[in-house]
Amino acid sequence: MSTSALACTGLVKSFGDVRALDGVTVDVTAPATGLLGANGAGKSTLMKLALGLLAPDDGEVRVLGLDAATDRAQIRARVGYMPEHACLPTDMSAQDLCIHLARLRGLPRRDALRRASEVLFAVGLEEERHRLVDTYSLGMRQRAKLAQALVHGPDLVVLDEPTSGLDPAGRAEMLSILRHLSRDLGIQVLLSSHVLEDVERTCDEVVVLSSGRVTAQQPVAARDSAGPVVVQVTGDASTFAAGLRARDVPADADGGRVRLAAATPAALTAVRDLAAETGVGVLSLVDAANALEDAVVGAMR
Amino acid sequence: MSDTARLYDVRYSRYAGDREPRWRGVLALARSSATRALGVRRTRGAKVWPFLLVVCAHLPAVAALGIPLLFDDAPPPLELVSYVDLLMIITPVLVAFAATTLPSLLTRERRDRVLSLYFSTAMSPGEYLAGKALAAVALMSLVTLSPLLVLLVGSIVTADAPLDLVRDYAGHVVPVLAGGAVVALYFAALGLLAGSLTAKRLFAVGGLLAVLLVTPVVSGLVATLSDRPEIFAGDLAFAPLRAASTVLPLGDFGEDDGMEQPPDGLVWAVVGGVVLLAAVVLPLRYRTRDDA
């Protein structure tokens, strides 16, 4: 198990009468963890407390085992941050920006130059690194933001809505890079998003926040391609399930749907053949083990 | 031999090198801030104004050095223009340079919302302000200290007997450094103070110019009409010059006008007060680290 990226105990933070975090206690140890929650759930507040941008009213925050209140300098050296909002100086090139931030973070000039080239290559900006940030598309700006977060070789990167505003292709590429960070480079990732699919594709664990409280924390299990499935048919579900059982396929009617215990090739062939023989339409055939989505939706209510 | 091949991405690796002490980061911020303010690594248009003002600030000193070289009967440079005279002549340039260059050291980053990035992963607010203060003093030194040193060193180098002048002017070095530093520090404090109060450069520049242009007129009028010279101390454009003239050799502020000047103590109190105000307000303005 990895080092605890973020450990909070009884964390409370209010803004006026609004209690943004209400006694949050959580221990984040997975290589990549997604923070999920609706707008106003407390995700950004939790991240800002971890980054030292806000001070808690009560409770304790530890980042990489260090006290967020007293060990700020050590935390700064080991953490990278990609904010959701525009945060890049528009009159600098991505190369200059990465070198500049690497120097501020204590890297010698030669190392800063080398690291800037490496991270810009890693995020796919090597060809455009000398252009001013002002001339970048939104996708390129997101990449530049990620590059600066990685330039000093952090142990933990905090990413606030990294796919925000990206087109589908840009989003897929960004998610692929993020998965690469935790899986191949050993960098712990804490990602805030309100898109479950982004978290499923990049994270090992999900923490759900709702109204300032942690309402769920569970692993993101890899989907089993031969796991249980639910079939929705146009005819009577009980009759269809009985027909499948007659073909030695374990199946039960569940309300208006038919639940198959395993989506083996033989079972799927039986569904197809039975539907064709009886003239029943198959409306949908979906993974029944979508426990994460159910849990997240339930936890966000 | 293994029958499985492994692919390594050698272009990106975790950084395992040494980190420099924090003061190097502060110096890096000061250097990059100062060079950006001068337009270095920016568009050509961004360079024109600051470099024009730097050149203008040096012109009187260069002229004072050139005249004795061109005309045999001309007096030596420091008799043509004293250090105090030089600062008086270039005060409009100092005001223009301070107002247009210094506030953007702070406003630009607040506008671009870079502060949360700096304060979460790069440096503390204290280190940030230290870097900006160094940048501001270094920039102002280009138009205060540098012309004074050009005049001093040029006077020695262009003299008929330079070695004799080295002996004569050796006592000028420390006062010139001190006088130039006082003026630079004062304008740096005022410029950063204006820049810390808003994210909009235009407001900061306008506010600072208003203070530096209005206070000389108002304090001059009130002091003259009421015949109370101490009110001249409220002239925030010339206050640092009045203070510097108490340490600079060869001439005092306003001696040619024959006007009575405010007490030195009051002038130093005004200069110190402005610097102290900046030292108090700036940390307060950066107490909130989040700019999102």
Side-chain angles (χ1 to χ4, degrees), chain A residues 141-194:
Chain A
R141 287 183 194 214
Q142 291 291 86
R143 287 162 190 252
K145 276 158 62 174
L146 180 60
Q148 66 75 26
L150 300 173
V151 73
H152 57 305
D155 296 317
L156 167 69
V157 279
V158 179
L159 311 156
D160 198 357
E161 305 282 359
T163 57
S164 174
L166 294 181
D167 59 30
R171 181 165 159 263
E173 261 188 89
M174 178 61 77
L175 294 177
S176 161
I177 293 169
L178 298 185
R179 182 76 273 198
H180 178 59
L181 295 179
S182 63
R183 187 171 286 169
D184 306 323
L185 300 176
I187 300 171
Q188 281 189 282
V189 172
L190 183 63
L191 177 150
S192 156
S193 178
H194 53 256

Side-chain angles (χ1 to χ4, degrees), chain A residues 2-85:
Chain A
S2 310
T3 317
S4 182
L6 175 67
C8 306
T9 313
L11 204 56
V12 174
K13 180 68 187 177
S14 298
F15 298 99
D17 295 335
V18 179
R19 182 159 279 210
L21 293 180
D22 190 7
V24 168
T25 297
V26 69
D27 190 10
V28 172
T29 56
T33 302
L35 271 181
L36 272 170
N39 290 334
K43 304 188 298 288
S44 293
T45 304
L46 182 58
M47 285 188 152
K48 285 173 183 173
L49 286 164
L51 291 163
L53 297 172
L54 294 173
D57 298 335
D58 197 11
E60 187 191 44
V61 189
R62 297 190 79 82
V63 178
L64 297 167
L66 300 161
D67 190 328
T70 57
D71 301 324
R72 287 301 322 148
Q74 291 175 66
I75 292 173
R76 277 195 295 270
R78 294 179 59 191
V79 172
Y81 175 41
M82 177 182 174
E84 181 189 8
H85 63 265

